[in-house]
Amino acid sequence: MDRFDLVKESFMKKEVPACAPAGKTSDYYGELVFDRKKMCKYLDADSLQALLACIEGGKPLDRKTADGVARGMKEWAIEHGVTHVTHWFQPLTEGTAEKHDSLIDYDGKGGVIETFDGKMLAQQEPDASSFPSGGIRATFEARGYTAWDPTSPVFILDDTLCIPTVFISYTGEALDYKTPLKKALKAVSDAAVPICKYFDPGVTKVYSYLGWEQEYFLVDEGLYAARTDLMITGRTLFGHSSSKNQQLDDHYFAAIPPRVAAFMRDLEIAGHRLGIPLKTRHNEVAPNQFELAPIYGETNLANDQNQIVMNLMNRIARKHGFVVLLHEKPFDGVNGSGKHNNWSLGTDKGTQLLAPGKDAKGNLQFITFFVNVLAAVQKHNALLKASIASATNAHRLGANEAPPAIVSAFLGRTMTDVLHKLLEVPSDTPIEIAGKKSKSVGLVEIPEVFVDNTDRNRTSPFAFTGNRFEFRAVGSCANCAGAMTTLNAAVAEQLIAFKEDVEKEIAKGKKVPVAIMDALKPIIKSVIDTVCFDGNGYTEEWKKEAERRGLDIETNVPKMFCQFTKPASVEMFTKTGVYSEKELAARNDVKWETYVKKVQIESRVMVRMALNHIVPAALEYKGKLLKEVIMAKEIYGNLDNCTTELRILDDINKYVEAVRVKATAMKEARKKANVIEDTYERALAYHEIAESLYDLRKPIDKLEEVVDNKMWPLPKYRELLFIS
């Protein structure tokens, strides 16, 4: 089947009916999750009380309680047709992992019986040798352990009971994303509670909240299968831009194509059954680009749910004849995909710490946390950028509405004015912050619109949006835990330091509100002068200004990763108990090695496709043109009528030779890079190769414009992006 048959087949595909369970969403929401409702039904009173104390208060679970919980889970699971159990974890592969064990065991009578106890629930031993460890584990050292995370509910996928777990090495180091994330969440709570007690002595815990916005592309699975680069790397390494792409802004928020809507409905139903509160769906800016988002939730759980959703997307899309692309930049020249991480803090008393209060006291509490978050971003702006850096996200940052590779904070006019005013008034002045304002549209039949006290800035990587910060630089295929671990740990460190400053002011005899403001003022002055920026982050002027302010402007991804092992980062992570120095060094090794492998794969695919797909197609067309030239000369005796053919032949010769030269140079560069023993130095060498990928792409994209459309071997952008 050639490219044209694939395109025709794609256009002919009918809408796949979506699954539609009877009843309202609330009737089946969470039916495949062992949530509070199931706990109350299936657990005995002692097990229930102990499990809730563990989840809500961090109390340890003993073996007897684990056995009781396992009995209830087994009963519930078997009622849903479960035959296997797995510890579901998040290794450093940027995906999830699972090893399935059957529930059966010998019954002592020649048969089998379903069994599931506290030991199987609490711990499992997967092979750790083949997962990235950065040298913590040698290949021949296979032992690693997964351990149950009771704060993230057990769920059912197909016939398997999935138990969210952490993953650690035999020697105790974290080999996953969840372990450091949970440590960072504990650190930020421990650091925030003492400050909250200045305002409400009853606060005992502070929660970190995450609302992720998942952007993605859909492509027809037949066309996907015809693009080796998409299949292997997740993005198109070649492809001339379509005459029409996103320049008319007609795809953004437009009516969702029926076939896509059917996929979205199935995805939402599957997510709701798993207790994932998927709320929003819409067309994004680029053709065939879409977005989904849930209701906000506690960060650890929200991150687990994002991992589940990404897996569901791939499975369900296939049923509708699609493939989901989660790469940050699958198509050149149109918007890439991000995963905006909306982040906030709240107390166990229901107070949102990053939302303006209802009175002066509430506003002071808000300003306290607001300013300290900015201070953490200021101090660790380079580290925060490193936390979202990857070989794939590097293609997105700074292009087509993605944030630039400089971490600054957007506040909006209201909050900027508030901070400036606080520097001018006495420290005991009550703080007033304007709320939403009504604005008339000018038509009698249209009600007044309530306008937020802050606008949005699409070029800001870290923007305040009224009651939260939006970390917009996170990549679409990333595990949110990487960015969330760093952010929460950085804020925890800053809050610890701030508490010490406040206590020093109180020791001088100042009242608490005055002491807090006196400790805040130098921080406010510092963040205003450095990290706060409300302008256009794309301009060259901002890059120069950011460097003058001391913000990190590095764009080399391997060099960005070095931030994790800088003294200030090591001190912050070790002080908050999130990472050990050994774990940080190991993770950097993993990051560099992953970077190398991804660029290496792209380079290999690019060279092979160039030489095996593109050049033969170009030479075939060249041969066709040469036959026409020869025939013309035989008939007319000269080449006067072959001007066009000869010019095209010249172009083909020029571009094919450029492809050959650049492909050969890339292969030689890989050979040199591959023999470099030091992981970091090898990553730097592969960064140079990554920078050269576009050089090889340019003559190939030129050939696409020249070679006969019928002979071109790959589906083109106009076909990939406009067939929903």
Side-chain angles (χ1 to χ4, degrees):
M1 185 179 291
D2 65 19
R3 168 175 132 247
F4 295 97
D5 290 329
L6 289 169
V7 174
K8 181 180 178 181
E9 182 183 78
S10 176
F11 275 109
M12 294 294 289
K13 281 182 178 173
K14 303 294 184 183
E15 175 187 347
V16 180
C19 297
K24 307 186 297 292
T25 301
S26 56
D27 292 337
Y28 59 85
Y29 184 84
E31 66 182 7
L32 297 180
V33 180
F34 197 71
D35 53 20
R36 301 294 176 95
K37 185 177 179 180
K38 314 293 191 321
M39 293 176 192
C40 292
K41 179 178 179 180
Y42 289 92
L43 300 185
D44 61 77
D46 290 342
S47 297
L48 175 62
Q49 185 177 1
L51 180 56
L52 292 178
C54 173
I55 295 171
E56 297 172 353
K59 301 295 177 62
L61 285 176
D62 57 29
R63 175 60 186 274
K64 180 181 177 182
T65 300
D67 284 337
V69 173
R71 279 193 300 271
M73 282 184 182
K74 184 184 78 169
E75 182 183 352
W76 168 70
I78 289 176
E79 288 178 5
H80 285 78
V82 166
T83 58
H84 288 71
V85 62
T86 185
H87 275 199
W88 181 85
F89 58 103
Q90 301 168 34
L92 302 179
T93 56
E94 300 180 359
T96 58
E98 51 199 61
K99 181 186 77 169
H100 296 200
D101 287 325
S102 170
L103 292 177
I104 64 170
D105 202 352
Y106 286 123
D107 64 358
K109 302 175 184 178
V112 295
I113 187 174
E114 284 77 14
T115 180
F116 180 61
D117 59 17
K119 182 179 179 182
M120 294 176 68
L121 169 63
Q123 183 176 313
Q124 192 180 48
E125 184 196 340
D127 185 335
S129 61
S130 294
F131 288 111
S133 71
I136 287 177
R137 304 295 289 153
T139 303
F140 65 87
E141 296 175 316
R143 201 176 295 278
Y145 296 101
T146 51
W148 175 35
D149 173 15
T151 63
S152 187
V154 169
F155 59 95
I156 294 172
L157 275 181
D158 300 326
D159 64 353
T160 304
L161 184 68
C162 301
I163 303 167
T165 62
V166 299
F167 179 42
I168 62 172
S169 73
Y170 179 72
T171 47
E173 291 87 6
L175 296 176
D176 66 342
Y177 283 100
K178 180 184 274 284
T179 303
L181 175 62
K182 288 183 68 66
K183 289 180 177 180
L185 299 179
K186 181 181 183 303
V188 79
S189 178
D190 290 347
V193 165
I195 295 174
C196 288
K197 286 184 179 294
Y198 288 137
F199 305 93
D200 182 354
V203 172
T204 60
K205 189 170 184 178
V206 168
Y207 295 94
S208 167
Y209 292 102
L210 168 64
W212 42 266
E213 303 171 24
Q214 181 70 62
E215 294 177 339
Y216 61 96
F217 281 83
L218 289 174
V219 295
D220 184 86
E221 63 179 344
L223 299 179
Y224 170 85
R227 295 277 315 210
T228 304
D229 49 356
L230 271 181
M231 290 179 65
I232 296 180
T233 72
R235 76 179 183 109
T236 53
L237 298 172
F238 315 112
H240 198 281
S241 61
S242 172
S243 300
K244 176 184 181 294
N245 46 55
Q246 67 186 47
Q247 63 264 51
L248 295 179
D249 299 321
D250 54 345
H251 187 259
Y252 192 47
F253 281 21
I256 300 171
R259 187 173 153 209
V260 175
F263 155 72
M264 289 177 168
R265 286 194 294 273
D266 272 0
L267 177 61
E268 287 178 353
I269 291 166
H272 292 156
R273 295 183 73 202
L274 288 165
I276 303 172
L278 298 179
K279 176 91 171 168
T280 302
R281 65 188 187 197
H282 64 83
N283 288 9
E284 256 299 335
V285 176
N288 276 17
Q289 186 187 33
F290 308 93
E291 180 180 301
L292 62 90
I295 301 171
Y296 289 23
E298 186 276 325
T299 297
N300 177 50
L301 176 58
N303 186 62
D304 283 358
Q305 290 176 338
N306 180 243
Q307 294 298 304
I308 296 170
V309 164
M310 288 196 290
N311 290 334
L312 287 176
M313 291 170 76
N314 288 305
R315 297 173 58 178
I316 294 172
R318 293 285 186 167
K319 296 179 181 179
H320 295 265
F322 289 122
V323 173
V324 170
L325 302 181
L326 291 174
H327 192 289
E328 284 82 0
K329 197 72 173 177
F331 300 102
D332 186 52
V334 299
N335 274 23
S337 296
K339 180 152 50 193
H340 304 171
N341 278 206
N342 294 277
W343 172 85
S344 63
L345 296 172
T347 73
D348 55 355
K349 299 297 183 180
T351 302
Q352 294 185 55
L353 297 175
L354 293 176
K358 298 179 180 179
D359 53 27
K361 181 180 179 182
N363 283 336
L364 178 57
Q365 179 172 248
F366 158 65
I367 287 294
T368 297
F369 283 92
F370 178 79
V371 170
N372 275 286
V373 169
L374 294 175
V377 175
Q378 173 193 353
K379 180 177 180 180
H380 294 292
N381 72 95
L383 180 63
L384 285 166
K385 183 169 66 176
S387 75
I388 56 88
S390 68
T392 55
N393 206 20
H395 298 290
R396 165 181 167 259
L397 295 181
N400 295 91
E401 291 196 2
I406 301 168
V407 174
S408 61
F410 167 81
L411 307 187
R413 181 178 298 175
T414 298
M415 289 311 305
T416 299
D417 289 346
V418 167
L419 293 188
H420 280 289
K421 184 177 179 180
L422 289 176
L423 292 177
E424 299 169 358
V425 299
S427 295
D428 59 354
T429 304
I431 301 173
E432 296 181 2
I433 300 173
K436 291 187 177 183
K437 300 177 181 178
S438 62
K439 180 173 290 189
S440 173
V441 180
L443 297 171
V444 174
E445 66 272 25
I446 305 296
E448 286 187 321
V449 175
F450 285 91
V451 180
D452 287 292
N453 61 12
T454 176
D455 201 349
R456 297 189 67 187
N457 186 320
R458 289 192 169 276
T459 69
S460 175
F462 198 80
F464 181 65
T465 56
N467 61 1
R468 64 193 182 276
F469 282 97
E470 185 178 13
F471 196 4
R472 301 185 68 252
V474 183
S476 53
C477 70
N479 188 316
C480 301
M484 289 295 99
T485 297
T486 301
L487 177 58
N488 282 283
V491 172
E493 179 200 43
Q494 174 59 31
L495 292 175
I496 292 169
F498 178 73
K499 176 68 164 56
E500 294 173 355
D501 290 342
V502 172
E503 290 300 315
K504 290 177 183 176
E505 297 298 325
I506 292 174
K508 297 176 184 177
K510 298 178 182 178
K511 292 182 179 180
V512 171
V514 174
I516 290 174
M517 273 309 308
D518 283 348
L520 282 174
K521 283 187 175 182
I523 303 176
I524 292 172
K525 178 68 168 63
S526 180
V527 297
I528 287 175
D529 292 341
T530 54
V531 78
C532 297
F533 176 67
D534 288 0
N536 184 354
Y538 283 164
T539 65
E540 288 299 318
E541 290 78 13
W542 166 236
K543 292 179 183 178
K544 296 175 183 176
E545 171 65 12
E547 187 175 20
R548 186 192 66 76
R549 293 187 184 192
L551 298 178
D552 186 84
I553 61 169
E554 183 61 68
T555 58
N556 182 310
V557 172
K559 289 183 179 179
M560 290 182 197
F561 293 149
C562 293
Q563 292 296 329
F564 281 95
T565 51
K566 292 287 181 69
S569 302
V570 173
E571 181 182 4
M572 182 269 286
F573 281 124
T574 55
K575 183 177 181 179
T576 54
V578 174
Y579 290 117
S580 68
E581 192 167 354
K582 182 179 180 181
E583 287 173 326
L584 286 169
R587 280 168 192 259
N588 261 20
D589 241 30
V590 171
K591 289 176 184 292
W592 287 321
E593 192 64 35
T594 300
Y595 180 88
V596 165
K597 290 175 179 177
K598 288 198 171 186
V599 177
Q600 184 182 67
I601 290 169
E602 286 195 349
S603 174
R604 286 174 173 171
V605 170
M606 199 168 200
V607 168
R608 289 170 184 172
M609 287 184 70
L611 299 180
N612 296 337
H613 292 70
I614 307 303
V615 169
L619 293 180
E620 182 183 2
Y621 183 47
K622 176 182 176 181
K624 180 182 176 181
L625 290 175
L626 285 172
K627 288 179 182 178
E628 292 187 11
V629 169
I630 292 171
M631 289 174 60
K633 186 173 184 181
E634 289 178 353
I635 294 172
Y636 300 111
N638 57 57
L639 299 178
D640 294 345
N641 295 320
C642 297
T643 304
T644 299
E645 290 91 335
L646 292 172
R647 286 181 177 175
I648 293 174
L649 283 168
D650 285 342
D651 286 342
I652 291 174
N653 288 332
K654 178 176 63 176
Y655 296 139
V656 167
E657 177 62 11
V659 170
R660 185 195 67 79
V661 170
K662 294 176 186 298
T664 301
M666 189 174 289
K667 285 197 293 185
E668 291 303 313
R670 278 207 316 269
K671 289 179 182 178
K672 293 179 181 178
N674 290 341
V675 298
I676 300 174
E677 293 187 6
D678 182 79
T679 311
Y680 173 57
E681 294 297 331
R682 186 163 63 248
L684 289 178
Y686 264 97
H687 173 74
E688 297 301 317
I689 294 173
E691 293 286 291
S692 71
L693 291 177
Y694 193 72
D695 288 337
L696 176 53
R697 176 178 186 146
K698 282 190 290 187
I700 293 173
D701 288 355
K702 289 290 186 181
L703 281 171
E704 184 181 321
E705 290 189 289
V706 173
V707 172
D708 186 342
N709 186 55
K710 294 179 181 178
M711 294 182 177
W712 194 253
L714 305 174
K716 297 184 176 182
Y717 270 27
R718 65 172 183 261
E719 297 156 355
L720 289 165
L721 289 171
F722 293 97
I723 52 168
S724 296

